[in-house]
Protein backbone atom coordinates (compact mmCIF):
# COMPACT_ATOMS: atom_id res chain seq x y z
CA UNK A 1 0.00 0.00 0.00
CA UNK A 2 1.47 3.32 -1.10
CA UNK A 3 1.09 6.52 0.90
CA UNK A 4 0.56 9.91 -0.64
CA UNK A 5 4.08 11.29 -1.31
CA UNK A 6 2.98 14.76 -0.22
CA UNK A 7 2.97 13.51 3.38
CA UNK A 8 6.77 13.54 3.37
CA UNK A 9 7.66 15.47 0.19
CA UNK A 10 11.08 16.06 -1.28
CA UNK A 11 9.95 18.84 -3.62
CA UNK A 12 8.85 22.12 -2.03
CA UNK A 13 5.28 23.26 -2.61
CA UNK A 14 6.39 26.59 -4.04
CA UNK A 15 3.19 27.56 -5.84
CA UNK A 16 0.94 30.05 -4.08
CA UNK A 17 -2.72 29.11 -4.72
CA UNK A 18 -3.79 32.64 -3.74
CA UNK A 19 -1.76 34.08 -6.62
CA UNK A 20 -1.82 31.71 -9.62
CA UNK A 21 1.22 31.84 -11.86
CA UNK A 22 3.44 33.40 -9.23
CA UNK A 23 6.07 31.56 -7.26
CA UNK A 24 6.56 32.19 -3.56
CA UNK A 25 9.80 33.95 -2.93
CA UNK A 26 9.67 36.23 -5.98
CA UNK A 27 10.96 39.05 -3.81
CA UNK A 28 14.35 37.31 -3.82
CA UNK A 29 14.22 36.17 -7.42
CA UNK A 30 12.99 33.15 -9.31
CA UNK A 31 16.23 32.44 -11.13
CA UNK A 32 19.03 30.11 -10.08
CA UNK A 33 20.88 32.84 -8.18
CA UNK A 34 17.80 33.91 -6.23
CA UNK A 35 16.98 30.31 -5.35
CA UNK A 36 20.57 29.70 -4.29
CA UNK A 37 20.55 32.76 -2.03
CA UNK A 38 17.25 31.70 -0.47
CA UNK A 39 18.45 28.14 0.09
CA UNK A 40 21.74 29.36 1.59
CA UNK A 41 19.98 31.73 3.98
CA UNK A 42 17.53 29.02 5.05
CA UNK A 43 20.32 26.47 5.58
CA UNK A 44 22.43 28.95 7.51
CA UNK A 45 19.47 29.78 9.73
CA UNK A 46 18.82 26.10 10.43
CA UNK A 47 22.52 25.55 11.23
CA UNK A 48 22.39 28.45 13.71
CA UNK A 49 19.27 27.05 15.38
CA UNK A 50 20.83 23.59 15.65
CA UNK A 51 23.99 25.04 17.18
CA UNK A 52 22.01 27.11 19.68
CA UNK A 53 19.87 24.12 20.68
CA UNK A 54 22.95 21.96 21.16
CA UNK A 55 25.30 24.52 22.67
CA UNK A 56 27.01 22.21 25.24
CA UNK A 57 28.24 19.80 22.55
CA UNK A 58 29.28 22.64 20.24
CA UNK A 59 31.30 24.22 23.05
CA UNK A 60 33.01 20.94 23.91
CA UNK A 61 33.80 20.25 20.27
CA UNK A 62 35.38 23.66 19.80
CA UNK A 63 37.24 23.87 23.11
CA UNK A 64 38.37 20.32 23.93
CA UNK A 65 40.61 17.86 22.15
CA UNK A 66 39.40 14.29 21.49
CA UNK A 67 40.30 12.17 24.51
CA UNK A 68 38.80 8.79 25.51
CA UNK A 69 38.82 9.90 29.12
CA UNK A 70 36.24 12.57 28.24
CA UNK A 71 33.84 10.07 26.65
CA UNK A 72 31.26 10.32 29.44
CA UNK A 73 31.39 14.12 29.45
CA UNK A 74 30.88 14.17 25.69
CA UNK A 75 28.03 11.66 26.03
CA UNK A 76 26.19 13.91 28.48
CA UNK A 77 26.75 16.95 26.27
CA UNK A 78 25.46 15.02 23.23
CA UNK A 79 22.03 14.29 24.75
CA UNK A 80 20.56 17.66 23.60
CA UNK A 81 21.51 16.70 20.04
CA UNK A 82 18.50 14.36 19.94
CA UNK A 83 15.84 17.05 20.40
CA UNK A 84 17.81 19.45 18.19
CA UNK A 85 17.99 16.99 15.30
CA UNK A 86 14.33 16.10 15.73
CA UNK A 87 13.31 19.77 15.62
CA UNK A 88 15.52 20.32 12.59
CA UNK A 89 13.95 17.38 10.78
CA UNK A 90 10.50 18.71 11.63
CA UNK A 91 11.44 22.16 10.29
CA UNK A 92 12.75 20.72 7.02
CA UNK A 93 9.53 18.79 6.47
CA UNK A 94 7.47 21.92 7.24
CA UNK A 95 9.51 23.84 4.67
CA UNK A 96 8.72 21.27 2.00
CA UNK A 97 5.02 21.34 2.90
CA UNK A 98 4.81 25.14 2.82
CA UNK A 99 7.79 27.36 2.09
CA UNK A 100 6.01 30.31 3.73
CA UNK A 101 6.28 28.76 7.22
CA UNK A 102 8.94 30.76 9.15
CA UNK A 103 11.96 28.64 9.99
CA UNK A 104 12.15 29.73 13.63
CA UNK A 105 8.49 28.98 14.21
CA UNK A 106 8.74 25.51 12.64
CA UNK A 107 11.90 24.67 14.59
CA UNK A 108 10.44 25.91 17.86
CA UNK A 109 7.23 23.96 17.34
CA UNK A 110 9.14 20.80 16.47
CA UNK A 111 11.32 21.18 19.55
CA UNK A 112 8.39 21.87 21.86
CA UNK A 113 6.35 18.93 20.61
CA UNK A 114 9.12 16.38 20.34
CA UNK A 115 11.85 17.04 22.88
CA UNK A 116 10.64 14.37 25.32
CA UNK A 117 10.43 11.64 22.69
CA UNK A 118 13.78 12.64 21.20
CA UNK A 119 15.49 12.73 24.60
CA UNK A 120 14.20 9.23 25.36
CA UNK A 121 16.02 8.04 22.23
CA UNK A 122 19.16 10.10 22.80
CA UNK A 123 19.90 9.19 26.44
CA UNK A 124 20.47 5.42 26.05
CA UNK A 125 22.28 5.91 22.73
CA UNK A 126 24.69 8.47 24.18
CA UNK A 127 25.41 6.33 27.24
CA UNK A 128 25.98 3.22 25.13
CA UNK A 129 28.16 5.27 22.79
CA UNK A 130 30.31 6.37 25.72
CA UNK A 131 30.59 2.75 26.83
CA UNK A 132 31.65 1.64 23.34
CA UNK A 133 34.26 4.42 23.17
CA UNK A 134 35.61 3.51 26.60
CA UNK A 135 35.83 -0.19 25.75
CA UNK A 136 37.50 0.50 22.43
CA UNK A 137 40.03 2.93 23.87
CA UNK A 138 40.99 0.86 26.92
CA UNK A 139 40.77 -2.58 25.39
CA UNK A 140 44.44 -3.48 25.83
CA UNK A 141 44.84 -2.12 29.33
CA UNK A 142 41.63 -3.66 30.66
CA UNK A 143 42.08 -7.06 29.09
CA UNK A 144 39.06 -6.86 26.80
CA UNK A 145 39.26 -9.58 24.11
CA UNK A 146 40.43 -8.31 20.75
CA UNK A 147 37.30 -9.66 19.06
CA UNK A 148 35.04 -7.67 21.37
CA UNK A 149 37.13 -4.54 20.92
CA UNK A 150 37.00 -4.94 17.15
CA UNK A 151 33.26 -5.51 16.99
CA UNK A 152 32.39 -2.67 19.37
CA UNK A 153 32.82 0.19 16.86
CA UNK A 154 30.78 -1.60 14.19
CA UNK A 155 28.03 -2.36 16.66
CA UNK A 156 28.09 1.27 17.76
CA UNK A 157 27.66 2.49 14.18
CA UNK A 158 24.70 0.17 13.57
CA UNK A 159 23.18 1.30 16.85
CA UNK A 160 23.51 4.92 15.75
CA UNK A 161 21.80 4.25 12.41
CA UNK A 162 18.92 2.47 14.18
CA UNK A 163 18.72 5.36 16.65
CA UNK A 164 18.49 7.92 13.84
CA UNK A 165 15.74 5.88 12.17
CA UNK A 166 13.91 5.70 15.51
CA UNK A 167 14.39 9.43 16.08
CA UNK A 168 12.96 10.24 12.65
CA UNK A 169 9.96 8.00 13.30
CA UNK A 170 9.27 9.48 16.75
CA UNK A 171 9.52 12.98 15.30
CA UNK A 172 6.35 12.40 13.28
CA UNK A 173 4.63 9.39 14.86
CA UNK A 174 3.31 8.76 18.34
CA UNK A 175 5.22 5.53 18.81
CA UNK A 176 6.33 4.09 22.16
CA UNK A 177 10.09 3.98 22.55
CA UNK A 178 10.31 0.19 22.22
CA UNK A 179 8.09 0.22 19.13
CA UNK A 180 10.17 3.00 17.56
CA UNK A 181 13.41 1.08 18.18
CA UNK A 182 11.89 -2.09 16.74
CA UNK A 183 10.72 -0.15 13.69
CA UNK A 184 14.15 1.44 13.35
CA UNK A 185 15.80 -1.99 13.44
CA UNK A 186 13.28 -3.26 10.87
CA UNK A 187 13.97 -0.38 8.50
CA UNK A 188 17.72 -0.92 8.92
CA UNK A 189 17.29 -3.81 6.49
CA UNK A 190 13.88 -3.21 4.91
CA UNK A 191 14.91 0.27 3.74
CA UNK A 192 18.56 -0.45 3.20
CA UNK A 193 19.02 2.53 0.88
CA UNK A 194 17.93 4.86 3.68
CA UNK A 195 20.30 3.04 6.03
CA UNK A 196 23.22 3.34 3.60
CA UNK A 197 22.41 7.01 3.07
CA UNK A 198 22.33 7.63 6.83
CA UNK A 199 25.59 5.73 7.22
CA UNK A 200 27.17 7.85 4.48
CA UNK A 201 26.02 11.01 6.27
CA UNK A 202 27.59 9.80 9.52
CA UNK A 203 30.83 8.96 7.71
CA UNK A 204 30.80 12.36 6.04
CA UNK A 205 30.31 14.12 9.37
CA UNK A 206 33.27 12.24 10.87
CA UNK A 207 35.41 13.00 7.81
CA UNK A 208 34.59 16.72 7.93
CA UNK A 209 35.36 16.93 11.65
CA UNK A 210 38.61 14.97 11.27
CA UNK A 211 39.92 16.53 8.06
CA UNK A 212 38.74 20.10 8.59
CA UNK A 213 37.34 21.20 11.93
CA UNK A 214 34.37 20.82 14.24
CA UNK A 215 33.41 24.40 13.39
CA UNK A 216 32.89 23.48 9.74
CA UNK A 217 30.72 20.57 10.84
CA UNK A 218 28.59 22.98 12.89
CA UNK A 219 28.24 25.31 9.90
CA UNK A 220 27.11 22.40 7.73
CA UNK A 221 24.55 21.20 10.29
CA UNK A 222 21.60 22.55 8.31
CA UNK A 223 22.77 20.82 5.13
CA UNK A 224 23.27 17.57 7.06
CA UNK A 225 19.72 17.58 8.45
CA UNK A 226 18.30 18.44 5.02
CA UNK A 227 20.16 15.47 3.49
CA UNK A 228 18.99 13.28 6.37
CA UNK A 229 15.39 14.19 5.60
CA UNK A 230 15.88 13.46 1.90
CA UNK A 231 17.44 10.11 2.80
CA UNK A 232 14.68 9.02 5.16
CA UNK A 233 11.64 10.49 3.35
CA UNK A 234 10.91 7.17 1.64
CA UNK A 235 11.09 5.33 4.95
CA UNK A 236 8.71 7.84 6.52
CA UNK A 237 6.25 7.47 3.65
CA UNK A 238 6.32 3.72 4.15
CA UNK A 239 5.68 4.26 7.85
CA UNK A 240 2.60 6.34 6.99
CA UNK A 241 1.15 3.35 5.15
CA UNK A 242 1.90 1.09 8.12
CA UNK A 243 0.95 3.30 11.07
CA UNK A 244 -2.02 5.24 9.74
CA UNK A 245 -5.46 3.88 8.99
CA UNK A 246 -6.73 4.21 5.45
CA UNK A 247 -9.31 6.87 6.36
CA UNK A 248 -6.66 8.99 8.10
CA UNK A 249 -4.31 9.21 5.15
CA UNK A 250 -3.89 12.61 3.51
CA UNK A 251 -5.24 13.48 0.10
CA UNK A 252 -3.71 15.64 -2.59
CA UNK A 253 -6.43 18.25 -2.14
CA UNK A 254 -5.69 19.08 1.48
CA UNK A 255 -2.66 20.01 3.50
CA UNK A 256 -0.74 16.80 4.34
CA UNK A 257 -1.73 15.26 7.64
CA UNK A 258 0.98 15.01 10.27
CA UNK A 259 0.89 11.37 11.47
CA UNK A 260 1.44 12.58 15.01
CA UNK A 261 -1.94 14.29 14.90
CA UNK A 262 -1.92 16.56 17.99
CA UNK A 263 1.67 17.62 17.27
CA UNK A 264 0.31 20.04 14.69
CA UNK A 265 -2.13 21.55 17.16
Amino acid sequence: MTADPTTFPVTPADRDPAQPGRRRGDEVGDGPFGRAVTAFAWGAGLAALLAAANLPLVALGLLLRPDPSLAWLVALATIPAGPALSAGLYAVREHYVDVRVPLVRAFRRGYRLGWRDATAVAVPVCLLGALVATVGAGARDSGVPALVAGLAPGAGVLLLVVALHSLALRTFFRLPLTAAVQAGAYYLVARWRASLGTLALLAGAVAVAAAASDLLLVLLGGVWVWLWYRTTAGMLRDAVARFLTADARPTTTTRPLDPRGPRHA
Side-chain angles (χ1 to χ4, degrees):
M1 192 174 295
T2 304
D4 189 335
T6 58
T7 306
F8 292 100
V10 293
T11 302
D14 58 354
R15 293 289 185 182
D16 191 345
Q19 302 181 26
R22 179 180 178 183
R23 286 183 177 271
R24 296 169 184 152
D26 280 350
E27 67 278 1
V28 178
D30 196 28
F33 179 75
R35 289 174 177 267
V37 170
T38 302
F40 175 81
W42 196 91
L46 181 57
L49 289 171
L50 290 168
N54 199 27
L55 193 57
L57 181 61
V58 173
L60 283 180
L62 296 178
L63 299 178
L64 299 181
R65 294 181 178 180
D67 191 331
S69 64
L70 300 174
W72 293 104
L73 179 61
V74 173
L76 293 176
T78 305
I79 291 175
L85 290 174
S86 177
L89 195 69
Y90 186 95
V92 172
R93 187 270 180 131
E94 286 293 283
H95 177 71
Y96 277 116
V97 171
D98 188 349
V99 295
R100 294 172 301 181
V101 176
L103 172 60
V104 175
R105 181 190 301 174
F107 187 90
R108 184 174 55 193
R109 177 187 295 174
Y111 199 99
R112 175 175 58 85
L113 296 175
W115 71 269
R116 292 184 181 87
D117 290 343
T119 302
V121 175
V123 169
V125 171
C126 292
L127 295 181
L128 286 175
L131 180 61
V132 168
T134 302
V135 169
R140 293 183 178 180
D141 298 336
S142 59
V144 176
L147 179 61
V148 175
L151 292 177
V157 170
L158 291 179
L159 171 66
L160 190 54
V161 174
V162 171
L164 287 173
H165 284 351
S166 304
L167 183 61
L169 290 168
R170 291 203 96 192
T171 298
F172 301 105
F173 296 86
R174 290 197 179 280
L175 292 175
L177 179 59
T178 54
V181 173
Q182 290 173 359
Y186 166 78
Y187 282 122
L188 180 67
V189 177
R191 288 284 174 170
W192 58 269
R193 288 186 178 87
S195 299
L196 286 179
T198 304
L199 184 61
L201 289 175
L202 292 173
V206 173
V208 168
S213 67
D214 296 332
L215 178 60
L216 179 59
L217 183 60
V218 172
L219 295 177
L220 294 176
V223 175
W224 194 96
V225 173
W226 173 74
L227 291 174
W228 180 35
Y229 175 84
R230 299 274 300 195
T231 298
T232 58
M235 179 190 76
L236 294 170
R237 283 194 293 268
D238 183 78
V240 170
R242 295 178 183 276
F243 300 142
L244 286 185
T245 60
D247 58 349
R249 292 202 184 94
T251 64
T252 56
T253 59
T254 60
R255 188 175 186 273
L257 174 68
D258 189 337
R260 287 190 62 97
R263 290 202 62 176
H264 251 298

